[in-house]
Amino acid sequence: MGECRDVYDAIVREGTTKILVLCVATELSGTFSVATTTAQAMPTADIEVIDTRSLAGGISLIATAVGRLRRTGGSFADAVALSQKMAGRVPLLAVADTLEYLKRSGRVSGAQALFGSMLQVKPILEVKEGVVHAIDRVRTRDKAIARLKDLVSERVPAGTRIHACTLHTNDPDRALAMGEWVQERFHCVEHWIAEAGPVIGARAGPGVVGLCWYREDDVK
């Protein structure tokens, strides 16, 4: 809480009195609670704290959306409303290289993890409403990436205008290939490749490749 207050104080000293805070989903971190409690202790600043229901690149996509809104004349209230509208509406799908880290975090049982390791199963994960789900399991890495692409294609028609972020944990080459596929298949208004944050890294381990996105029409 002290560190959060230091951040707020530094921003206010620069002359900013309206602050929008985009937090990782409450199921995955206590940041939202800390940021909210600290904001209540600062009556001289207007601080809005949002539970994005997401993490990593999903939060970044919300941030760039509200940033564009402000740069084009949108009010602070408009930015808050947009971030609230987008919360929980930025899908995130990813392939993990092993079930071991999911087992450690309690996402799968030890027996499932052992069985999966024996069969070289690669879990496909979805972050939905702040919870990480294993929605499929595919043998071999290449087949898992192909299945991930199929799942994205089932949800988003080719050529759709999207805002996207390709994520990875210690696998930049596969992330680059995934990013190239995304940009070839869809009309990417924005796209970048980034290392996933500690929440994904701790729960899914190294070798993760994933995609988060939203359709431009969904936020109009």
Side-chain angles (χ1 to χ4, degrees), residues 5-22:
R5 179 60 185 259
D6 289 344
V7 172
Y8 288 166
D9 286 340
I11 294 172
V12 171
R13 281 196 300 269
E14 294 173 355
T16 299
T17 58
K18 296 181 182 295
I19 304 171
L20 178 60
V21 184
L22 304 176

PDB file of all heavy atoms in Angstrom, residues 5-22:
ATOM      1  N   ARG A   5       0.867   4.274  -2.764  1.00  0.00           N
ATOM      2  CA  ARG A   5       0.722   5.688  -2.394  1.00  0.00           C
ATOM      3  C   ARG A   5       1.871   6.518  -2.984  1.00  0.00           C
ATOM      4  O   ARG A   5       1.659   7.650  -3.452  1.00  0.00           O
ATOM      5  CB  ARG A   5       0.687   5.825  -0.872  1.00  0.00           C
ATOM      6  CG  ARG A   5       0.570   7.274  -0.365  1.00  0.00           C
ATOM      7  CD  ARG A   5      -0.707   7.956  -0.862  1.00  0.00           C
ATOM      8  NE  ARG A   5      -0.767   9.347  -0.492  1.00  0.00           N
ATOM      9  CZ  ARG A   5      -1.484   9.816   0.536  1.00  0.00           C
ATOM     10  NH1 ARG A   5      -2.199   8.984   1.288  1.00  0.00           N
ATOM     11  NH2 ARG A   5      -1.505  11.106   0.809  1.00  0.00           N
ATOM     12  N   ASP A   6       3.074   5.955  -2.989  1.00  0.00           N
ATOM     13  CA  ASP A   6       4.211   6.674  -3.571  1.00  0.00           C
ATOM     14  C   ASP A   6       3.978   6.963  -5.057  1.00  0.00           C
ATOM     15  O   ASP A   6       4.312   8.046  -5.553  1.00  0.00           O
ATOM     16  CB  ASP A   6       5.494   5.850  -3.403  1.00  0.00           C
ATOM     17  CG  ASP A   6       5.964   5.795  -1.959  1.00  0.00           C
ATOM     18  OD1 ASP A   6       5.496   6.625  -1.151  1.00  0.00           O
ATOM     19  OD2 ASP A   6       6.784   4.912  -1.647  1.00  0.00           O
ATOM     20  N   VAL A   7       3.406   5.990  -5.766  1.00  0.00           N
ATOM     21  CA  VAL A   7       3.127   6.175  -7.193  1.00  0.00           C
ATOM     22  C   VAL A   7       2.083   7.268  -7.387  1.00  0.00           C
ATOM     23  O   VAL A   7       2.248   8.176  -8.208  1.00  0.00           O
ATOM     24  CB  VAL A   7       2.649   4.852  -7.831  1.00  0.00           C
ATOM     25  CG1 VAL A   7       2.161   5.094  -9.265  1.00  0.00           C
ATOM     26  CG2 VAL A   7       3.773   3.823  -7.830  1.00  0.00           C
ATOM     27  N   TYR A   8       0.996   7.197  -6.618  1.00  0.00           N
ATOM     28  CA  TYR A   8      -0.046   8.218  -6.716  1.00  0.00           C
ATOM     29  C   TYR A   8       0.515   9.609  -6.408  1.00  0.00           C
ATOM     30  O   TYR A   8       0.254  10.579  -7.123  1.00  0.00           O
ATOM     31  CB  TYR A   8      -1.184   7.915  -5.732  1.00  0.00           C
ATOM     32  CG  TYR A   8      -2.069   6.747  -6.096  1.00  0.00           C
ATOM     33  CD1 TYR A   8      -2.941   6.209  -5.148  1.00  0.00           C
ATOM     34  CD2 TYR A   8      -2.064   6.180  -7.359  1.00  0.00           C
ATOM     35  CE1 TYR A   8      -3.775   5.151  -5.453  1.00  0.00           C
ATOM     36  CE2 TYR A   8      -2.886   5.113  -7.670  1.00  0.00           C
ATOM     37  CZ  TYR A   8      -3.740   4.595  -6.711  1.00  0.00           C
ATOM     38  OH  TYR A   8      -4.569   3.549  -7.017  1.00  0.00           O
ATOM     39  N   ASP A   9       1.282   9.705  -5.333  1.00  0.00           N
ATOM     40  CA  ASP A   9       1.838  11.001  -4.926  1.00  0.00           C
ATOM     41  C   ASP A   9       2.729  11.589  -6.011  1.00  0.00           C
ATOM     42  O   ASP A   9       2.694  12.799  -6.285  1.00  0.00           O
ATOM     43  CB  ASP A   9       2.633  10.862  -3.624  1.00  0.00           C
ATOM     44  CG  ASP A   9       1.738  10.695  -2.404  1.00  0.00           C
ATOM     45  OD1 ASP A   9       0.551  11.054  -2.490  1.00  0.00           O
ATOM     46  OD2 ASP A   9       2.228  10.207  -1.370  1.00  0.00           O
ATOM     47  N   ALA A  10       3.537  10.739  -6.639  1.00  0.00           N
ATOM     48  CA  ALA A  10       4.449  11.213  -7.682  1.00  0.00           C
ATOM     49  C   ALA A  10       3.664  11.764  -8.868  1.00  0.00           C
ATOM     50  O   ALA A  10       4.031  12.796  -9.455  1.00  0.00           O
ATOM     51  CB  ALA A  10       5.369  10.085  -8.133  1.00  0.00           C
ATOM     52  N   ILE A  11       2.575  11.111  -9.220  1.00  0.00           N
ATOM     53  CA  ILE A  11       1.751  11.561 -10.350  1.00  0.00           C
ATOM     54  C   ILE A  11       1.065  12.885 -10.014  1.00  0.00           C
ATOM     55  O   ILE A  11       1.032  13.815 -10.823  1.00  0.00           O
ATOM     56  CB  ILE A  11       0.715  10.484 -10.718  1.00  0.00           C
ATOM     57  CG1 ILE A  11       1.418   9.236 -11.246  1.00  0.00           C
ATOM     58  CG2 ILE A  11      -0.273  11.009 -11.759  1.00  0.00           C
ATOM     59  CD1 ILE A  11       0.501   8.046 -11.451  1.00  0.00           C
ATOM     60  N   VAL A  12       0.533  12.973  -8.802  1.00  0.00           N
ATOM     61  CA  VAL A  12      -0.159  14.194  -8.387  1.00  0.00           C
ATOM     62  C   VAL A  12       0.811  15.378  -8.335  1.00  0.00           C
ATOM     63  O   VAL A  12       0.464  16.499  -8.711  1.00  0.00           O
ATOM     64  CB  VAL A  12      -0.855  13.982  -7.034  1.00  0.00           C
ATOM     65  CG1 VAL A  12      -1.385  15.305  -6.478  1.00  0.00           C
ATOM     66  CG2 VAL A  12      -1.996  12.975  -7.176  1.00  0.00           C
ATOM     67  N   ARG A  13       2.041  15.135  -7.894  1.00  0.00           N
ATOM     68  CA  ARG A  13       3.038  16.212  -7.836  1.00  0.00           C
ATOM     69  C   ARG A  13       3.338  16.775  -9.221  1.00  0.00           C
ATOM     70  O   ARG A  13       3.721  17.934  -9.361  1.00  0.00           O
ATOM     71  CB  ARG A  13       4.329  15.701  -7.182  1.00  0.00           C
ATOM     72  CG  ARG A  13       4.284  15.627  -5.671  1.00  0.00           C
ATOM     73  CD  ARG A  13       5.673  15.505  -5.073  1.00  0.00           C
ATOM     74  NE  ARG A  13       6.369  14.328  -5.535  1.00  0.00           N
ATOM     75  CZ  ARG A  13       6.329  13.139  -4.925  1.00  0.00           C
ATOM     76  NH1 ARG A  13       5.606  12.997  -3.812  1.00  0.00           N
ATOM     77  NH2 ARG A  13       6.993  12.104  -5.406  1.00  0.00           N
ATOM     78  N   GLU A  14       3.145  15.976 -10.244  1.00  0.00           N
ATOM     79  CA  GLU A  14       3.376  16.436 -11.617  1.00  0.00           C
ATOM     80  C   GLU A  14       2.220  17.279 -12.131  1.00  0.00           C
ATOM     81  O   GLU A  14       2.283  17.802 -13.245  1.00  0.00           O
ATOM     82  CB  GLU A  14       3.591  15.235 -12.536  1.00  0.00           C
ATOM     83  CG  GLU A  14       4.865  14.445 -12.238  1.00  0.00           C
ATOM     84  CD  GLU A  14       4.962  13.177 -13.062  1.00  0.00           C
ATOM     85  OE1 GLU A  14       3.982  12.878 -13.787  1.00  0.00           O
ATOM     86  OE2 GLU A  14       5.997  12.496 -12.992  1.00  0.00           O
ATOM     87  N   GLY A  15       1.162  17.391 -11.340  1.00  0.00           N
ATOM     88  CA  GLY A  15       0.034  18.227 -11.735  1.00  0.00           C
ATOM     89  C   GLY A  15      -1.190  17.472 -12.208  1.00  0.00           C
ATOM     90  O   GLY A  15      -2.198  18.073 -12.585  1.00  0.00           O
ATOM     91  N   THR A  16      -1.141  16.147 -12.185  1.00  0.00           N
ATOM     92  CA  THR A  16      -2.280  15.337 -12.607  1.00  0.00           C
ATOM     93  C   THR A  16      -3.224  15.121 -11.430  1.00  0.00           C
ATOM     94  O   THR A  16      -2.789  14.708 -10.349  1.00  0.00           O
ATOM     95  CB  THR A  16      -1.812  13.974 -13.146  1.00  0.00           C
ATOM     96  OG1 THR A  16      -0.976  14.186 -14.280  1.00  0.00           O
ATOM     97  CG2 THR A  16      -2.986  13.099 -13.549  1.00  0.00           C
ATOM     98  N   THR A  17      -4.496  15.396 -11.626  1.00  0.00           N
ATOM     99  CA  THR A  17      -5.471  15.213 -10.543  1.00  0.00           C
ATOM    100  C   THR A  17      -6.505  14.143 -10.865  1.00  0.00           C
ATOM    101  O   THR A  17      -7.320  13.807 -10.015  1.00  0.00           O
ATOM    102  CB  THR A  17      -6.201  16.538 -10.261  1.00  0.00           C
ATOM    103  OG1 THR A  17      -6.851  16.985 -11.460  1.00  0.00           O
ATOM    104  CG2 THR A  17      -5.233  17.600  -9.773  1.00  0.00           C
ATOM    105  N   LYS A  18      -6.482  13.621 -12.089  1.00  0.00           N
ATOM    106  CA  LYS A  18      -7.389  12.540 -12.472  1.00  0.00           C
ATOM    107  C   LYS A  18      -6.563  11.347 -12.935  1.00  0.00           C
ATOM    108  O   LYS A  18      -5.773  11.457 -13.871  1.00  0.00           O
ATOM    109  CB  LYS A  18      -8.339  12.993 -13.594  1.00  0.00           C
ATOM    110  CG  LYS A  18      -9.280  14.121 -13.186  1.00  0.00           C
ATOM    111  CD  LYS A  18     -10.201  14.504 -14.334  1.00  0.00           C
ATOM    112  CE  LYS A  18     -11.110  15.661 -13.964  1.00  0.00           C
ATOM    113  NZ  LYS A  18     -12.062  15.289 -12.888  1.00  0.00           N
ATOM    114  N   ILE A  19      -6.740  10.225 -12.277  1.00  0.00           N
ATOM    115  CA  ILE A  19      -5.914   9.048 -12.529  1.00  0.00           C
ATOM    116  C   ILE A  19      -6.808   7.838 -12.772  1.00  0.00           C
ATOM    117  O   ILE A  19      -7.714   7.554 -11.983  1.00  0.00           O
ATOM    118  CB  ILE A  19      -4.971   8.767 -11.341  1.00  0.00           C
ATOM    119  CG1 ILE A  19      -4.103   9.996 -11.031  1.00  0.00           C
ATOM    120  CG2 ILE A  19      -4.102   7.553 -11.622  1.00  0.00           C
ATOM    121  CD1 ILE A  19      -3.302   9.857  -9.737  1.00  0.00           C
ATOM    122  N   LEU A  20      -6.537   7.126 -13.857  1.00  0.00           N
ATOM    123  CA  LEU A  20      -7.241   5.881 -14.157  1.00  0.00           C
ATOM    124  C   LEU A  20      -6.283   4.722 -13.932  1.00  0.00           C
ATOM    125  O   LEU A  20      -5.212   4.666 -14.543  1.00  0.00           O
ATOM    126  CB  LEU A  20      -7.731   5.892 -15.608  1.00  0.00           C
ATOM    127  CG  LEU A  20      -8.449   4.627 -16.107  1.00  0.00           C
ATOM    128  CD1 LEU A  20      -9.696   4.344 -15.289  1.00  0.00           C
ATOM    129  CD2 LEU A  20      -8.798   4.773 -17.590  1.00  0.00           C
ATOM    130  N   VAL A  21      -6.649   3.808 -13.051  1.00  0.00           N
ATOM    131  CA  VAL A  21      -5.783   2.688 -12.673  1.00  0.00           C
ATOM    132  C   VAL A  21      -6.405   1.395 -13.202  1.00  0.00           C
ATOM    133  O   VAL A  21      -7.531   1.044 -12.833  1.00  0.00           O
ATOM    134  CB  VAL A  21      -5.618   2.601 -11.146  1.00  0.00           C
ATOM    135  CG1 VAL A  21      -4.634   1.502 -10.772  1.00  0.00           C
ATOM    136  CG2 VAL A  21      -5.162   3.937 -10.581  1.00  0.00           C
ATOM    137  N   LEU A  22      -5.689   0.688 -14.065  1.00  0.00           N
ATOM    138  CA  LEU A  22      -6.164  -0.559 -14.662  1.00  0.00           C
ATOM    139  C   LEU A  22      -5.462  -1.723 -13.984  1.00  0.00           C
ATOM    140  O   LEU A  22      -4.249  -1.892 -14.128  1.00  0.00           O
ATOM    141  CB  LEU A  22      -5.885  -0.566 -16.164  1.00  0.00           C
ATOM    142  CG  LEU A  22      -6.467   0.613 -16.961  1.00  0.00           C
ATOM    143  CD1 LEU A  22      -6.027   0.537 -18.416  1.00  0.00           C
ATOM    144  CD2 LEU A  22      -7.986   0.647 -16.856  1.00  0.00           C
TER     145      LEU A  22
END
